[in-house]
Amino acid sequence: MPGPVGGHQPSLGATVRSAPPRRPVPFRQFVVKLHSRCDLACDHCYVYTMADQRWRSRPRVMSAATLARTGERIGEHAHRHGLEGVSIVLHGGEPLLSGVGGVARAVELLRRGAAPVPARVSVQTNGLRLDDSFLRLFDRLDVGVSVSLDGDRTAHDRHRRGPDGQGSHDRVEAALHRLTGSYRRLFNGLLCTVDLRNDPLTTYRSLLAHQPPVVDFLLPHGTWSAPPAGRPPDPLHAPYADWLIAVFDEWHADGGQQTRVRLFDEIIQLLLGGSSRLAGVGVSPVAVAVVETDGAIEMDDTLGAAHAGAGHTGLHVDRDTFDAALDQPGVRAQQAGVAGLSAECRACDLHRVCGGGLYTHRWRAGSGFDNPSVYCADLYRLIGHIRRTLRRDVTALRRAAR
């Protein structure tokens, strides 16, 4: 994957386009970095292999005091804005490195701090440590589980290898077998990072074998200054769109009955005039805050793929509220809707559906985030294909109704 962006990096506040003030949207999802290290050495990981290397200086595990204070700040924010519930995602690194006791303590402290506002807790894991002891705990505490799986053994083990170079696919498959047995009710879905070298239909079908309720296909992180693998500068080529279109056509052919593919569902909702809850498409305000193991309140941690400190706010749960984070220029930019898009994006006929792509992918040294996504050509082709498919469906329905 691309390395760090070189050259001078201006502060985030200096790189965002000015946008008309609007009432901030409160955070509804809180990503808690329970453990800052990982038991895999994936070469496409935005945390460890890209521009922002601050993880090296952070505590390995979030302390009980920081967990308690984070929970209190979440409850304070939810109460202030009258939220009926919040979502808390235990993340990393690999959160299960905290151990069964550490995860149990985290869930208890976070929920206790957020109370009386109910907190729906889930964990994002690579699956290596997802054994029966964790599953019993998650069953008892009602914690949902999402697992990263990049496809069959060949696809998954291209990147998701241990420090010893050994692939992790077999261990993840074993964990999924346990999860989808007696504990299926906890299964939130699969996250799959797209690699153009992997056959799209083989990848999709291997994911379907686990009967996931949801599949999230993730574009590998990159920017204009450090483009993702296989993303050519020529806008006439859209290899990631072609990959996703192959999956979409098979998914659409069976009416999406086998699983929900969030990217496709959200694009369809937007094309039909609705809104999106998925970062990277649509212009809905971003409503996610991140808390690092040291208690720092940050923006989307994928911003670390852009430049060092891109997600930095200077805030901390010990002294600052989440409302203070809503005043950050970077957060305002991601909540500005159409006004927060570049001029090139606003001139595009699909800008309300595309939404400029994921904020991280807009970065270019010199102009900051005031750009279309590095995946602009791919998003345009994918959305256009889905739009044409919907139009054909509507036409067919109308003819059938005559």
Side-chain angles (χ1 to χ4, degrees), residues 161-180:
R161 296 176 174 271
D164 60 358
Q166 295 298 308
S168 61
H169 180 267
D170 290 350
R171 294 172 65 185
V172 178
E173 287 272 312
L176 282 167
H177 181 73
R178 289 189 288 269
L179 173 62
T180 58

Side-chain angles (χ1 to χ4, degrees), residues 300-318:
D300 179 4
D301 61 329
T302 70
L303 288 165
H307 66 83
H312 179 70
T313 67
L315 306 176
H316 193 283
V317 292
D318 281 347

Side-chain angles (χ1 to χ4, degrees), residues 113-242:
V117 176
R120 180 170 56 86
V121 180
S122 61
V123 61
Q124 174 60 48
T125 176
N126 62 29
L128 296 192
R129 297 171 184 268
L130 190 61
D131 58 15
D132 286 327
S133 60
F134 271 115
L135 289 169
R136 286 193 295 269
L137 174 72
F138 296 151
D139 189 45
R140 177 170 62 84
L141 297 180
D142 193 25
V143 173
V145 182
S146 296
V147 179
S148 297
L149 180 69
D150 286 350
D152 61 11
R153 181 181 288 105
T154 299
H156 184 86
D157 288 348
R158 282 192 195 280
H159 301 288
R160 298 188 184 274
R161 296 176 174 271
D164 60 358
Q166 295 298 308
S168 61
H169 180 267
D170 290 350
R171 294 172 65 185
V172 178
E173 287 272 312
L176 282 167
H177 181 73
R178 289 189 288 269
L179 173 62
T180 58
S182 302
Y183 301 99
R184 175 165 283 277
R185 76 174 189 89
L186 304 175
F187 190 21
N188 281 349
L190 297 173
L191 278 73
C192 173
T193 300
V194 174
D195 188 310
L196 297 175
R197 293 170 293 180
N198 299 332
D199 179 76
L201 296 184
T202 300
T203 299
Y204 176 55
R205 292 164 187 166
S206 69
L207 301 178
L208 288 181
H210 300 286
Q211 299 181 299
V214 179
V215 170
D216 278 302
F217 285 108
L218 309 178
L219 294 171
H221 293 301
T223 69
W224 291 103
S225 296
R231 176 55 261 172
D234 186 349
L236 296 179
H237 295 285
Y240 285 92
D242 295 339

Side-chain angles (χ1 to χ4, degrees), residues 284-299:
S284 298
V286 173
V288 181
V290 177
V291 182
E292 297 286 351
T293 55
D294 59 0
I297 300 173
E298 302 232 330
M299 294 181 291

